[in-house]
Amino acid sequence: MSQQPLTSDNTVSREEILEVANLARLGIDENTADSYAADISKILKLMNTLGNVDTTDIKPLSNIHEACQDLRADVAKHDINRERNQSVAPAVEDGLYLVPQVIE
């Protein structure tokens, strides 16, 4: 399966930036809009270049190292020191942490 080249002119105008900013209720001045338009146009040109690369015989990678990640064993440990952990808690009662009520 071959990719079709992107045919966009890869430019974003100041007016487009200001229009999107207005729709998004963002306060962007004209100088900033010029800068954003130039930056986004550069990004779109790069994406066009990447989109035109022939990847026909390239297999997708799930991991750049093509390796499995070693995971630790999922074993329950009972080395939690409740007294030490609760000694720094603001409020504790009967071994439970007390928290402020957030739902009325």
Side-chain angles (χ1 to χ4, degrees):
M1 180 171 113
S2 65
Q3 291 182 336
Q4 296 296 321
L6 301 175
T7 58
S8 170
D9 67 352
N10 297 316
T11 58
V12 176
S13 68
R14 172 180 11 140
E15 290 75 23
E16 289 171 316
I17 295 294
L18 292 172
E19 182 180 346
V20 171
N22 180 48
L23 292 171
R25 304 291 189 252
L26 299 174
I28 296 178
D29 61 38
E30 291 196 14
N31 292 334
T32 304
D34 285 332
S35 174
Y36 286 166
D39 290 345
I40 292 173
S41 293
K42 287 179 189 175
I43 292 168
L44 291 175
K45 286 178 185 175
L46 175 62
M47 293 299 104
N48 189 39
T49 300
L50 292 174
N52 290 324
V53 173
D54 181 18
T55 58
T56 304
D57 296 325
I58 307 297
K59 291 181 6 184
L61 296 175
S62 59
N63 181 320
I64 62 169
H65 301 293
E66 288 294 332
C68 295
Q69 181 178 1
D70 294 330
L71 302 176
R72 66 173 173 80
D74 189 13
V75 178
K77 295 183 180 181
H78 300 287
D79 60 350
I80 296 173
N81 186 333
R82 181 182 295 227
E83 292 79 24
R84 183 178 52 120
N85 291 342
Q86 290 187 341
S87 69
V88 296
V92 177
E93 184 178 303
D94 296 327
L96 302 174
Y97 294 95
L98 301 179
V99 297
Q101 181 176 344
V102 295
I103 301 174
E104 298 188 32

